[in-house]
Amino acid sequence: QVQLVQSGAEVKKPGASVKVSCKASGYTFTSYYMHWVRQAPGQGLEWMGIINPSGGSTSYAQKFQGRVTMTRDTSTSTVYMELSSLRSEDTAVYYCARVGRREVEYDAFDIWGQGTMVTVSS
Amino acid sequence: QSALTQPASVSGSPGQSITISCTGTSSDVGGYNYVSWYQQHPGKAPKLMIYEVSNRPSGVSNRFSGSKSGNTASLTISGLQAEDEADYYCSSYTSSSTPNVVFGGGTKLTVL
């Protein structure tokens, strides 16, 4: 079945970096754009950026420009999101989410990963 | 402050209908038919309920429906059931500078 499986929870100190993985299965990895969305504790959803798993091109929310890097490995059908210079406000659950239409950048997210909790604490 | 405005909470009794609004601008909700709605239960990932304003994915109950008028989209849930109690988020593509995807702040639905 179509699914996205993310890496496990992380605890990081302020100033460090974290790299979250999202492994896709059950569909043609390169045909569907992938987005990253985060959710701070008790808060709403926040869009972080998009990656084209085919060519690797990316676009990031201005808020995260310079701190976030999204990459992909087509050999393992995995996308990655790395966030640097972590601060306490980055404590959140991070989700990868697939666009539901082939080769369309922006549309509804039909499949979500289970989420990865990242805690930033000294 | 979220880019799209939703009521913080709504409630209804089993069997009743409720509507959740989602207000944006002509750069997002009003300008494109890329409005979607997500249901999120505590500790779980969001689940797609409505895409492109009014379409239901396979497997989603026909008690859920979506619509749009001007800059405001709406999610209606009819025949409320206990399992509908959850947080609901709207989302839209936006032509404003990044972010290119905006979410509402979320609405907590309580089934009385």
Side-chain angles (χ1 to χ4, degrees):
Chain A
Q1 72 279 26
V2 176
Q3 62 177 352
L4 301 174
V5 178
Q6 298 183 219
S7 49
E10 304 262 12
V11 179
K12 296 292 183 180
K13 294 194 181 301
S17 297
V18 68
K19 191 170 186 178
V20 179
S21 68
C22 169
K23 183 174 176 59
S25 62
Y27 70 96
T28 303
F29 174 70
T30 52
S31 292
Y32 294 82
Y33 283 79
M34 198 78 78
H35 294 240
W36 287 89
V37 176
R38 77 176 186 178
Q39 185 173 36
Q43 302 301 308
L45 302 170
E46 181 176 31
W47 184 78
M48 298 183 70
I50 175 179
I51 181 168
N52 178 356
S54 179
S57 61
T58 57
S59 179
Y60 306 134
Q62 191 167 11
K63 175 177 180 177
F64 302 103
Q65 292 273 3
R67 282 209 304 142
V68 69
T69 303
M70 297 177 187
T71 57
R72 95 291 189 217
D73 182 343
T74 56
S75 69
T76 61
S77 299
T78 302
V79 295
Y80 300 90
M81 187 285 300
E82 183 170 21
L83 190 62
S84 63
S85 302
L86 290 169
R87 35 211 190 229
S88 59
E89 309 89 89
D90 294 318
T91 294
V93 177
Y94 290 77
Y95 294 101
C96 56
R98 188 191 83 158
V99 175
R101 289 169 59 198
R102 289 174 60 96
E103 299 171 356
V104 170
E105 293 181 271
Y106 298 99
D107 205 337
F109 305 137
D110 67 333
I111 305 294
W112 293 66
Q114 83 275 19
T116 297
M117 182 71 211
V118 175
T119 302
V120 183
S121 175
S122 55
Chain B
Q1 185 162 349
S2 302
L4 305 179
T5 300
Q6 298 181 232
S9 64
V10 297
S11 62
S13 300
Q16 288 186 330
S17 295
I18 63 95
T19 296
I20 300 172
S21 61
C22 170
T23 301
T25 70
S26 57
S27 295
D28 39 65
V29 173
Y32 303 92
N33 287 327
Y34 291 125
V35 177
S36 50
W37 289 90
Y38 302 90
Q39 176 192 66
Q40 187 179 36
H41 287 109
K44 300 295 187 181
K47 175 187 176 184
L48 178 63
M49 305 303 285
I50 296 289
Y51 67 97
E52 294 171 6
V53 176
S54 60
N55 296 295
R56 267 189 320 275
S58 173
V60 171
S61 170
N62 59 10
R63 296 185 299 105
F64 291 82
S65 62
S67 63
K68 187 181 81 167
S69 177
N71 296 336
T72 298
S74 298
L75 173 71
T76 298
I77 308 174
S78 59
L80 271 179
Q81 299 180 1
E83 61 260 35
D84 298 333
E85 184 162 298
D87 293 324
Y88 291 83
Y89 293 91
C90 62
S91 177
S92 174
Y93 170 77
T94 175
S95 57
S96 301
S97 57
T98 60
N100 297 109
V101 176
V102 288
F103 288 97
T107 298
K108 169 66 178 175
L109 169 61
T110 300
V111 180
L112 302 170

